[in-house]
Amino acid sequence: MNKPSKVDAAYLVGLMSGTSVDGIDAAVVKLSPSADREHGVEVELLAFENTPFPVQARNSIFELFDPANATIDKVGAMNMWLGELYAQATLSVIGKCGLSASQIFAIGSHGQTIYHAPEEKAIGGYNLHYTVQIGEGAVIANRTGIPCVSDFRVADMAMGGQGAPLVPFTEYVLFTDPERTLLMQNIGGIGNVTVLPANASPEQVFAFDTGPGNMIIDGLVSQLYAPLTMDAGGEIAAGGQVISELLEWMQQNEYYAMPLPKSTGRERFGQQYAAQIIAMMKTNRWKAEDVIATATRLTAWSIVDSYERYIKPQHQAQQLLVGGGGSYNKTLMRDLQRLFAAHQVQVLTQEDIGGNSDAKEAIAFALLAYYTMNRMPNNMPRVTGASGPVIMGKVSFPYPGS
């Protein structure tokens, strides 16, 4: 893996809106080649801001998760609308740290995933797989006057990869430890883990989606505790008891035993899945808080099951570093700590090591854009299943003077 060489230091903005659709995460970072790390860069977080989606926009995004509703006109309009919202979030976070747009080298925008189909499907004699992220980069670039890198995943898919997960590249650059094996667990809508063996080379790193993170919990809370959209702090789950029958049913989903590489999303664990659980709840007269407690336990179980199934046979880990919104769920964190104690794995949050759980993925897309703009590969073929390295991301340049 080469080190960036064309830019000594640069300010970038990273943008992320995940499968939970709780808003736009925007981070301003200063990136520069590391003097101490052979393959790394130094990252300094200058500002972070989360901008909730307008209610109408959030509702419209959820509508697009159902392919039957995702007509071309609706997808096209939301693509442009999200571009406007991302641009506003960019300008806001830049202002927060006292910089001007002219000082920003580039923006890295993940976009909003509305459909992810990583498994190959034979169509017209070709084995095709695809993914759809919206939030028009050209709009972001021209509203801000800053080059914008967007639509990262498709370049990896063009090389036979699943286009996910992408963050392991940045975790390798930023967190590889010479002596300890670390597990970088993100808990957003979907949970994903990156395995960083001690003193790892890029070829030794692997990663995959562990299963649902907050997605099932949020989906159930939204329907059972409206107008709440999440179990803040895990307080609802803390007041419930795990329903063994429901937990066993949830653990039977075929995803957990699928071979690597693998990734998943709302298509498997979204609204339809939550609706199945609620139907079972009504039939069995389960308490709502017990259902939330069970969904929370499933997320913790899926993470430790992934460790037992795919990681421990090769690498005994020393730490699990948890980031993303799920790290603020105290019930989920207690479950993780209890389950991993049996494996002598210490469970910490990004904040425990001086990081920022909320900003982690936005920082990642700033770093990915940094590599794109330097025309350097920024995927990890072993992680995604791609046949080789590729430069991910499409670059939109602003019109001069915009």
Side-chain angles (χ1 to χ4, degrees):
M1 181 181 293
N2 297 322
K3 292 176 68 174
S5 58
K6 294 185 179 180
V7 179
D8 291 331
Y11 299 112
L12 289 92
V13 173
L15 301 173
M16 177 69 194
S17 55
T19 48
S20 295
V21 199
D22 52 2
I24 302 166
D25 291 336
V28 181
V29 299
K30 181 180 180 181
L31 298 177
S32 55
S34 172
D36 302 321
R37 296 167 61 84
E38 179 182 352
H39 51 263
V41 296
E42 300 291 343
V43 177
E44 181 183 358
L45 176 64
L46 302 181
F48 173 75
E49 199 168 51
N50 174 271
T51 303
F53 283 117
V55 174
Q56 183 184 357
R58 188 172 193 269
N59 291 341
S60 296
I61 292 168
F62 271 97
E63 184 180 355
L64 298 182
F65 291 148
D66 183 349
N69 296 327
T71 55
I72 293 174
D73 57 329
K74 292 178 181 177
V75 172
M78 182 54 67
N79 180 51
M80 301 298 281
W81 188 4
L82 282 176
E84 301 284 1
L85 295 176
Y86 291 151
Q88 289 181 9
T90 298
L91 294 173
S92 177
V93 77
I94 292 172
K96 186 175 181 179
C97 67
L99 296 174
S100 66
S102 63
Q103 294 175 275
I104 305 299
F105 176 54
I107 299 164
S109 176
H110 170 268
Q112 178 65 55
T113 299
I114 59 171
Y115 203 82
H116 184 63
E119 294 86 12
E120 291 186 346
K121 182 179 180 180
I123 301 176
Y126 297 93
N127 289 323
L128 304 179
H129 47 180
Y130 54 94
T131 189
V132 181
Q133 284 76 42
I134 58 175
E136 182 54 54
V139 173
I140 301 170
N142 282 286
R143 297 296 178 270
T144 63
I146 305 167
C148 180
V149 186
S150 61
D151 207 10
F152 286 88
R153 298 183 187 276
V154 290
D156 183 83
M157 284 186 147
M159 295 291 285
Q162 294 203 355
L166 300 187
V167 171
F169 174 87
T170 65
E171 291 174 326
Y172 170 74
V173 170
L174 298 176
F175 292 101
T176 302
D177 189 286
E179 299 178 354
R180 298 178 301 165
T181 293
L182 305 181
L183 309 179
M184 307 298 298
Q185 179 72 46
N186 183 68
I187 307 178
I190 293 295
N192 50 73
V193 66
T194 301
V195 183
L196 300 175
N199 200 32
S201 67
E203 294 74 26
Q204 293 174 306
V205 176
F206 63 103
F208 55 95
D209 287 352
T210 52
N214 304 314
M215 183 174 290
I216 299 174
I217 302 168
D218 291 350
L220 292 169
V221 169
S222 295
Q223 295 191 50
L224 298 174
Y225 292 90
L228 297 180
T229 59
M230 60 182 289
D231 182 12
E235 292 183 5
I236 298 173
Q241 299 292 324
V242 172
I243 304 166
S244 57
E245 179 185 351
L246 175 59
L247 180 61
E248 291 171 6
W249 176 82
M250 296 170 82
Q251 290 171 338
Q252 297 308 308
N253 190 284
E254 63 181 1
Y255 180 76
Y256 303 116
M258 285 182 176
L260 304 184
K262 63 177 182 175
S263 57
T264 190
R266 193 168 291 279
E267 299 73 36
R268 183 181 291 274
F269 295 112
Q271 291 173 311
Q272 292 181 337
Y273 190 87
Q276 281 183 279
I277 295 173
I278 290 175
M280 294 170 66
M281 169 187 162
K282 293 178 179 178
T283 299
N284 291 280
R285 297 184 179 180
W286 292 326
K287 295 179 181 179
E289 63 268 28
D290 293 345
V291 171
I292 302 302
T294 306
T296 303
R297 178 67 56 81
L298 175 81
T299 293
W301 169 85
S302 68
I303 293 169
V304 75
D305 177 72
S306 293
Y307 176 67
E308 294 168 348
R309 193 188 298 264
Y310 301 107
I311 303 170
K312 190 174 182 181
Q314 302 176 57
H315 303 284
Q316 168 66 48
Q318 281 72 54
Q319 282 187 350
L320 179 84
L321 296 177
V322 183
S327 68
Y328 300 114
N329 185 319
K330 295 179 181 179
T331 303
L332 175 55
M333 290 300 297
R334 282 196 296 268
D335 283 349
L336 283 172
Q337 289 163 351
R338 181 180 59 81
L339 291 171
F340 272 100
H343 297 288
Q344 293 79 50
V345 177
Q346 183 184 30
V347 177
L348 300 173
T349 66
Q350 286 287 322
E351 281 72 14
D352 290 332
I353 61 168
N356 185 313
S357 292
D358 286 335
K360 180 174 175 286
E361 288 194 293
I363 293 170
F365 281 92
L367 181 55
L368 288 170
Y370 185 67
Y371 274 76
T372 304
M373 296 297 290
N374 279 282
R375 299 188 181 185
M376 300 183 68
N378 52 3
N379 70 328
M380 298 200 83
R382 186 187 177 191
V383 169
T384 64
S387 60
V390 68
I391 301 172
M392 299 187 298
K394 299 175 182 177
V395 184
S396 300
F397 291 99
Y399 183 77
S402 64

